[in-house]
Amino acid sequence: MSETLSSFFRRVTGKDALPYQERYGSDPFRPTLLIIPTGLGKTDAVAVPWLHGVACGDPGVPKRLVMILPRVNLTEQIAEVIRERRAAAGLDEIVDVLELMGGSNDNFEKVSPERFTVVVGTQDILVSRALNRGYVRRPPRWPMDFALLNNDCLWVIDEVQLAADALATTTQLAAFRREYGVFGAVPCVWMSATVDPRWLETVDFGDVLRDLRIVRLEADDGSSSVVRERVHAPKSIARAPESCRTPGGCAEFVLEHHVTGGRTLVVVNTVARAREIWKELRKRSCAPLLLHSRFRPADRKRRLSDLTGSDGIIVSTQVLEAGIDISANRLITDLAPWGSLVQRFGRVNRYGEFSQAEIWWVDRPLTEKQSSLAYTEVLKAKDCEAVCRPYSPDEMSLGLSKLEPLTSASPADLDQEGGPAPWQNVLRRADLLDLFDTSPDISGNDLDVSRFIRAGDEKDCWLAWRSWKNDEDLPGLPDVVDEELCPVRIGEVQEFAKAHGRDMRRWDFVNRGWITVDAKRLYPGMVILLRSEAGGYSEEEGWNPNSRGRVTPVPIVAQAPAEADGDDPLSWVTYRQSLADHTRMVAEELRDILGHLSGLGIDDFEGELEIAAAKHDWGKAHPVMQATLHNVVEPDFADPTFEFLAKQRRDDAALRHSRPHFRHELASALAMVAAGDPDLAAYLAAAHHGRVRVGIRSMPGESLSGGRAVARGIREGDVLPACVLATGVSVPEMTLSLETMELGIGEDGQRAWTDRALRLRDEIGPFRLAFLEMLLRAADERASAKKASEVAACAR
């Protein structure tokens, strides 16, 4: 007999489930709004029932639990809690836990669609990926993330009052998933301590909203001593003196009220103000902990490990508002939007362990540059906006109106309504469908999804520091890895570029090269390589544009150079493999994956998937590809001993293809169209590397060759020789035609490629079509990884 949820909850958390947790857990995989005060275990409320379903073999459990934290909050503690629960449940071998914050080791590269996986990340990373424009990602990975995050998932959006425009995006995506269809189900749980259910009433969410369950504290929760202690935990609150507006005055006040052996939190609105208060405290022989999101991962992790101590002074930004389980007996906080303030109050006397705790709020938080405004009674509109950043004056005004009458910040005494809806922009159907096409924009202008994640100027680029002597050294530099990345607000990067623009580079995926950054064309999620000598960072302070010292690069293991559009990294490997052997392994891996995904509704497409698996690398028979893998000028197909290769050792292959932008998967798809294979099978073969999807176009530098059209290195009239793709799969010689590049119907009656792709998108739905792409791609990557492991094992 399966273990009950109550027993399971007690075993993995060491606590009895609270009544509201039991109510939620009775039906955990349906759309839900969870309105619960801070400190009462919302994370366990949603995560433990999911783990229980996995442990009990419940066929209705979504494969992925996606935990979305707001804004610039930290993911590490939530991920660690999930790992502890996973271990206590005995599910270490069954459930993967990934942290995605532009600073994680696995970064969704190793996820398998059939594995149970918990994905923890910020809204910037996860919502951008769910929109097919993942921040800090190379474009070929976008469709894979889009598929994995929009099928067979349970979405949990934490502290929705802090989510801004991402909140509306999550409701709209929920509506579109219902409209267009998904594999499995993708229920969403929105949870908060301060939320108005009307915030979820976005334009297309009506049908889903009618099915929405709302879980709140009820009478039986009040009978719990744990709930009573936390809801009524004493917390006095008062306005801080005017001197606290400046960093120096705030530091003096903190030291005056800090109690040795206790914990004092100083939570401010900007990284600059946090740094300045931290420095002022250090001048006064104090050793505070500085915590914000603008650190590289290793430096951030060290600070989080120091966070677990029982006492001390912690100077932080909004990163403590969600996902961090911490309790203090003193808090000095900047004025902020009401929802943010409630979250900050929730980090004080969190469990009712103190007989008394104190909170002070600063009505006009200033940095050193703004200190002249400290005692000005009336601020000009421009000055008011500067003081309120990153929030709006209206948000701050509402927070002030709720604060002024308060003398107690106990959850029972707080207004649970969060004011007007926190979003401005709404994702519509046309936006979603436009985003399905990930074809590279050869002008360098990709669709910007940042307005669907957060409005305003709080948008980030990611910086990595390296040393190089001159630009000739750049092409050989290893690609940037997650451990190097530090998120920085775009506005600050633009300002920094005024003095250091010559030391900043970004990777040009289409044209292959590290090119100088145009500060006027920065976009959210851009990865920028910054010369170490330019400064801008220290291990103690994190990002600091005023830091002039050389930044020590993060040591990284051997890494290949950055990937470009014309590269094929899965073909240049550590072993040699025939085309037939690789195709066999891909087909086997695909069957294995599908065997673990029964019941999702994929059965109707298995035939096309099998055809795609058998012929996905047909284009590798192209003379250009075989010349590259054999490292010859012209392959001799007439030689009876000639072996068609799918993989080759890096040192034994040519450095790159003889034709720029050559894509073997386009050749595969064109051959399949000519052979009369189903459109879906041809599309999946074209899309299995994430480069050729909705459109076929010529790339920069490609021009008519002898009057013949050319696209992605394929020329009109190219011939694929007859070959054996796999056991029982022999294909004849095939002439390739690029007439499908044209719109409409060609002279031969064939529909254009884009027409075919858009018809598939509309008939199957964008989420399911992307998932089918991902299945073939996952099988291909797993087959390659499996062969590499076999070869390595033999070498040992």
Side-chain angles (χ1 to χ4, degrees):
M1 187 174 185
S2 297
E3 185 177 13
T4 65
L5 176 60
S6 297
S7 173
F8 184 84
F9 196 105
R10 189 180 308 111
R11 179 164 65 86
V12 301
T13 68
K15 309 169 188 174
D16 288 326
L18 299 175
Y20 92 85
Q21 292 171 326
E22 292 271 14
R23 290 196 301 278
Y24 170 83
S26 66
D27 190 7
F29 308 130
R30 60 175 289 191
T32 301
L33 176 58
L34 203 58
I35 308 177
I36 302 295
T38 59
L40 288 178
K42 293 190 290 293
T43 298
D44 278 339
V46 295
V48 174
W50 183 82
L51 289 169
H52 177 251
V54 174
C56 294
D58 181 350
V61 179
K63 281 291 190 297
R64 284 165 294 285
L65 170 60
V66 182
M67 306 285 293
I68 302 176
L69 295 176
R71 299 194 177 185
V72 293
N73 293 85
L74 307 181
T75 62
E76 287 89 343
Q77 193 172 86
I78 287 286
E80 187 57 33
V81 169
I82 299 295
R83 291 189 181 100
E84 290 173 0
R85 304 296 186 250
R86 175 187 65 175
L91 297 174
D92 283 347
E93 300 301 317
I94 297 174
V95 175
D96 298 325
V97 180
L98 307 181
E99 298 170 44
L100 311 184
M101 197 179 169
S104 60
N105 289 324
D106 34 38
N107 209 14
F108 230 166
E109 299 289 353
K110 302 174 184 175
V111 73
S112 297
E114 80 283 9
R115 291 277 299 176
F116 288 107
T117 307
V118 182
V119 182
V120 185
T122 63
Q123 68 186 54
D124 298 68
I125 296 296
L126 287 173
V127 176
S128 67
R129 294 185 184 190
L131 292 175
N132 220 2
R133 290 298 185 279
Y135 289 177
V136 205
R137 296 289 267 173
R138 300 294 187 213
R141 301 298 299 190
W142 290 345
M144 202 165 191
D145 297 334
F146 177 75
L148 288 164
L149 290 171
N150 284 298
N151 293 273
D152 199 19
C153 295
L154 170 62
W155 273 43
V156 179
I157 301 94
D158 194 12
E159 303 303 346
V160 298
Q161 79 281 1
L162 306 177
D165 298 83
L167 170 58
T169 300
T170 62
T171 60
Q172 288 294 98
L173 281 172
F176 297 147
R177 292 186 197 110
R178 176 173 289 199
E179 177 179 346
Y180 293 119
V182 297
F183 289 120
V186 189
C188 292
V189 177
W190 294 270
M191 57 190 198
S192 174
T194 53
V195 60
D196 185 335
R198 290 173 295 182
W199 291 355
L200 276 61
E201 294 178 0
T202 53
V203 60
D204 295 298
F205 194 56
D207 290 342
V208 186
L209 192 60
R210 284 193 289 271
D211 297 335
L212 188 72
R213 172 182 58 162
I214 298 180
V215 176
R216 306 175 186 262
L217 294 184
E218 297 181 3
D220 55 349
D221 292 288
S223 65
S224 165
S225 61
V226 172
V227 174
R228 289 198 306 272
E229 289 170 0
R230 298 183 184 185
V231 169
H232 297 281
K235 311 176 190 183
S236 67
I237 184 168
R239 186 193 296 259
E242 289 184 344
S243 60
C244 287
R245 293 172 175 174
T246 63
C250 186
E252 290 285 0
F253 186 79
V254 169
L255 291 175
E256 179 183 344
H257 290 84
H258 176 64
V259 177
T260 302
R263 174 182 280 156
T264 298
L265 300 181
V266 185
V267 183
V268 300
N269 295 342
T270 66
V271 175
R273 180 163 157 85
R275 283 196 309 261
E276 290 167 358
I277 293 173
W278 176 79
K279 286 181 178 179
E280 293 291 340
L281 287 167
R282 284 166 59 96
K283 289 179 184 177
R284 293 159 174 79
S285 302
C286 178
L289 175 67
L290 176 63
L291 188 64
H292 56 73
S293 63
R294 313 308 190 182
F295 281 101
R296 296 185 298 199
D299 298 329
R300 184 177 67 231
K301 186 175 182 179
R302 281 193 290 272
R303 274 150 187 79
L304 285 174
S305 65
D306 293 339
L307 195 64
T308 57
S310 61
D311 61 7
I313 297 172
I314 300 167
V315 182
S316 175
T317 58
Q318 302 93 328
V319 295
L320 288 182
E321 290 179 7
I324 299 291
D325 189 3
I326 188 174
S327 185
N329 55 358
R330 300 286 188 276
L331 167 67
I332 296 89
T333 175
D334 284 350
L335 176 64
W338 180 242
S340 293
L341 290 169
V342 171
Q343 289 304 115
R344 296 177 191 186
F345 300 161
R347 272 61 192 165
V348 179
N349 206 7
R350 188 169 176 83
Y351 308 110
E353 70 269 41
F354 304 117
S355 59
Q356 182 57 43
E358 296 176 287
I359 298 172
W360 296 271
W361 52 274
V362 181
D363 65 347
R364 189 184 294 177
L366 302 169
T367 62
E368 288 293 348
K369 288 183 179 180
Q370 301 164 333
S371 58
S372 61
L373 304 173
Y375 300 105
T376 304
E377 290 301 321
V378 179
L379 293 177
K380 297 179 181 178
K382 184 177 181 181
D383 291 334
C384 184
E385 290 178 359
V387 170
C388 291
R389 285 176 184 160
Y391 308 112
S392 71
D394 287 344
E395 289 177 302
M396 298 285 265
S397 178
L398 178 61
L400 180 62
S401 69
K402 290 178 178 288
L403 273 178
E404 286 185 317
L406 281 182
T407 58
S408 168
S410 298
D413 298 323
L414 297 178
D415 182 357
Q416 299 302 308
E417 295 297 327
W423 45 265
Q424 301 175 31
N425 300 293
V426 179
L427 180 78
R428 301 306 305 271
R429 289 178 181 83
D431 300 314
L432 175 72
L433 297 179
D434 284 347
L435 289 167
F436 184 79
D437 184 5
T438 57
S439 301
D441 188 315
I442 58 178
S443 66
N445 296 313
D446 284 310
L447 290 174
D448 182 5
V449 298
S450 61
R451 67 188 184 279
F452 302 127
I453 299 170
R454 68 175 76 169
D457 60 358
E458 282 295 296
K459 301 167 185 176
D460 294 340
C461 295
W462 271 256
L463 305 188
W465 283 262
R466 293 275 187 88
S467 290
W468 67 88
K469 292 181 180 179
N470 49 58
D471 284 359
E472 285 71 28
D473 296 334
L474 284 169
L477 286 183
D479 196 5
V480 174
V481 297
D482 298 331
E483 289 83 358
E484 299 177 87
L485 295 172
C486 174
V488 178
R489 192 167 65 85
I490 283 180
E492 294 188 56
V493 177
Q494 290 173 327
E495 188 67 25
F496 192 77
K498 291 179 180 178
H500 302 285
R502 64 186 182 280
D503 295 322
M504 302 169 70
R505 301 289 188 274
R506 70 170 181 86
W507 180 247
D508 185 339
F509 178 76
V510 173
N511 295 303
R512 184 193 300 277
W514 290 99
I515 61 176
T516 302
V517 170
D518 181 350
K520 296 180 181 179
R521 301 182 69 182
L522 302 181
Y523 57 82
M526 177 185 284
V527 175
I528 296 174
L529 200 61
L530 184 60
R531 195 188 296 268
S532 295
E533 289 71 20
Y537 185 92
S538 71
E539 294 180 9
E540 282 193 323
E541 297 180 75
W543 163 253
N544 182 352
N546 298 317
S547 176
R548 295 290 177 258
R550 179 182 180 276
V551 181
T552 303
V554 172
I556 58 174
V557 297
Q559 179 81 1
E563 182 180 343
D565 182 62
D567 289 342
D568 195 350
L570 289 182
S571 297
W572 286 267
V573 287
T574 58
Y575 57 89
R576 176 187 175 109
Q577 187 179 26
S578 71
L579 180 57
D581 188 49
H582 171 67
T583 303
R584 172 189 61 79
M585 293 185 70
V586 171
E588 290 174 353
E589 293 299 327
L590 178 64
R591 285 192 292 272
D592 181 67
I593 292 172
L594 292 176
H596 289 87
L597 296 178
S598 60
L600 294 186
I602 301 174
D603 298 1
D604 292 342
F605 304 98
E606 286 190 8
E608 287 91 342
L609 279 166
E610 290 175 356
I611 294 172
K615 296 185 175 181
H616 76 287
D617 273 351
W618 188 354
K620 285 191 174 180
H622 194 287
V624 168
M625 188 78 191
Q626 290 302 307
T628 301
L629 295 179
H630 285 274
N631 198 8
V632 296
V633 176
E634 291 284 346
D636 186 2
F637 296 128
D639 184 345
T641 65
F642 183 85
E643 181 182 36
F644 285 92
L645 296 179
K647 312 280 184 180
Q648 180 60 287
R649 289 178 290 271
R650 173 72 271 183
D651 292 342
D652 292 340
L655 183 60
R656 55 180 54 99
H657 298 305
S658 59
R659 296 183 191 172
H661 306 291
F662 177 84
R663 299 307 315 171
H664 71 271
E665 63 269 31
L666 175 57
S668 299
L670 295 175
M672 293 172 71
V673 168
D677 289 319
D679 283 353
L680 176 57
Y683 174 84
L684 297 179
H688 81 276
H689 284 302
R691 289 167 167 83
V692 181
R693 299 180 71 241
V694 174
I696 301 174
R697 65 179 63 164
S698 299
M699 301 299 287
E702 290 188 322
S703 57
L704 292 176
S705 177
R708 296 188 297 165
V710 58
R712 298 284 185 143
I714 307 299
R715 295 173 183 168
E716 175 70 25
D718 278 352
V719 176
L720 300 185
C723 64
V724 176
L725 298 179
T727 303
V729 183
S730 297
V731 290
E733 180 180 283
M734 188 65 66
T735 300
L736 306 182
S737 172
L738 287 171
E739 284 192 11
T740 56
M741 286 177 62
E742 306 297 330
L743 296 178
I745 299 177
E747 294 180 359
D748 58 358
Q750 295 289 334
R751 290 191 307 277
W753 178 262
T754 297
D755 292 344
R756 295 168 188 255
L758 294 181
R759 182 181 61 81
L760 290 169
R761 183 201 66 187
D762 295 341
E763 289 181 357
I764 299 173
F767 304 118
R768 295 195 299 171
L769 181 57
F771 196 79
L772 295 174
E773 294 179 46
M774 182 275 304
L775 291 176
L776 178 58
R777 187 167 177 182
D780 188 23
E781 293 187 0
R782 282 175 47 167
S784 298
K786 186 174 183 179
K787 183 66 174 181
S789 296
E790 291 174 356
V791 171
C794 291
R796 289 194 296 269

